[in-house]
């Protein structure tokens, strides 16, 4: 069996008709069950939202607005349709942004992704996504249970111990970020440990550079990428053809011109906007802030859904570093903590092969003590490590940019 279910090979027309039949129901559900969407769509007839043209007339809800919406109406800004008491878990992403998880297995819809990557029942999965604060660990845990795969809940860090566990338990599959998989292999090489049992991986949370993919392939690893968010679950996933990412069956995807809600022509780069059919968190026209573009034609693997090029950057300055979102507001907070700094800019690059952050600060009197304090503040605010670079006054560009993403991908 090559496909998770028959939905993946439906004709595009059949899929579109099904989505358009479900769309008015989901808009009506969002209006009646969510305080936020009840207000936002008060002037719209849900039953008339039965085409992509009608959907495009609805206002967007932006991921970048969630923090303020939630501050005004904790914990979820009135966007959920299920009360907190009836949820399974609540998570906190950096910001903080609170994310709900409803009850039911594979709530995030990752089982389809694992199946497409060749994961099968009974295979042990080494899960290095975090089980703390953020939902990624449980996203993959639920999918593994759905497929019948046992899981070792490794989480992040403790690299030597992880290598030992892999050598002992011999898992077949890995889920986590690509950079941490490379770290595990490098540590295994250093220790002379046998981790060759790992033969397949689903990677997410950050981009997969072509050079790293090649390196992993040379180790005998089949690697597939997944594009997901803590709000929406899976959006798209890589298949054996490795030609773009196939959109997940339970979402309706649009690509819109950044800064607007206007859909762009297929092939044009724009912002990814998703309407989901989740009953607990009925996000309609949710603007992710990510850039991508629709690829022409159907995937050679036989799956007939729309394909996108994958992650092509951010429509705003919010960026993802090592699987964690970093917001301009977090960087700006450093100025509040350290009033002696005139201007800051967080530079993100991957010149060494993995994501690296450096905080560039215009400071009149730099010191080692201030550098150490800034490193601590950066870690406290973003939950990520970075270095500090001191600059003379008026040397950083005066362009309003707080986060400068200089990463390049092959």
């Amino acid at each position: 069996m090559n496909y998770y279910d028959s939905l993946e090979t439906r004709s595009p027309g059949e899929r579109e008709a099904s989505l358009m039949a479900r769309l008015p129901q989901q808009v009506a559900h969002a209006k009646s069950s969510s305080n936020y969407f009840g207000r936002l769509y008060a002037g719209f007839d849900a039953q008339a939202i039965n085409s992509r043209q009608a959907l495009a007339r609805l206002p967007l809800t932006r991921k970048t607005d969630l923090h303020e919406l939630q501050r005004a109406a904790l914990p979820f800004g009135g966007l959920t349709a299920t009360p907190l008491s009836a949820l399974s878990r609540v998570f906190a992403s950096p910001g903080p942004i609170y994310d709900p998880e409803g009850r039911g297995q594979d709530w995030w819809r990752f089982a389809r992704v694992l199946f497409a990557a060749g994961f099968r029942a009974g295979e042990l999965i080494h899960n290095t996504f975090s089980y703390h604060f953020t939902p990624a660990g449980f996203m993959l845990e639920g999918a593994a249970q759905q497929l019948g795969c046992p899981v070792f809940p490794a989480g992040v860090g403790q690299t030597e111990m992880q290598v030992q566990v892999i050598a002992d338990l011999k898992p077949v599959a890995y889920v986590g970020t690509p950079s941490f998989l490379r770290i595990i292999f490098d540590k295994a090489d250093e220790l002379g440990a046998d981790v060759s049992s790992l033969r397949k991986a689903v990677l997410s949370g950050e981009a997969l550079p072509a050079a790293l993919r090649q390196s992993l392939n040379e180790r005998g690893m089949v690697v597939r990428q997944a594009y997901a968010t803590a709000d929406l679950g899976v959006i798209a996933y890589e298949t054996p053809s490795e030609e773009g990412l196939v959109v997940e069956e339970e979402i309706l995807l649009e690509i819109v011109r950044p800064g607007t809600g206007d859909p762009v022509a297929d092939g044009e780069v724009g912002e990814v906007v998703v309407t989901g059919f989740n009953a607990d968190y009925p996000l309609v026209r949710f603007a992710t802030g990510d850039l991508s573009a629709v690829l022409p034609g159907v995937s050679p693997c036989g799956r007939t859904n729309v394909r996108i090029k994958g992650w092509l950057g951010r429509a705003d300055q919010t960026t993802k570093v090592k699987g964690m979102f970093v917001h301009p507001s977090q960087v700006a907070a450093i100025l509040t903590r350290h009033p002696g700094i005139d201007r800051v800019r967080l530079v993100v690059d991957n010149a060494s092969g993995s994501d690296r952050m450096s905080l560039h600060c215009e400071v009149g009197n730099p010191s080692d003590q201030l550098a150490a304090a800034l490193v601590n503040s950066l870690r406290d605010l973003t939950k990520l490590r970075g270095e500090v670079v001191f600059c003379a006054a008026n040397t950083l560009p005066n362009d309003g940019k707080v986060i400068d993403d200089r990463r390049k991908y092959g």
Side-chain angles (χ1 to χ4, degrees), residues 103-120:
R103 296 176 181 172
Q105 200 155 284
D106 195 27
W107 190 84
W108 307 91
R109 311 179 320 281
F110 249 99
R112 185 183 304 281
V113 179
L114 298 186
F115 192 89
F119 290 38
R120 295 296 182 267

Side-chain angles (χ1 to χ4, degrees), residues 391-410:
C391 309
N394 301 315
T395 56
L396 291 177
N398 186 23
D399 57 6
K401 186 176 285 189
V402 178
I403 300 176
D404 185 4
D405 191 344
R406 299 178 183 176
R407 290 174 291 190
K408 296 180 180 179
Y409 305 102

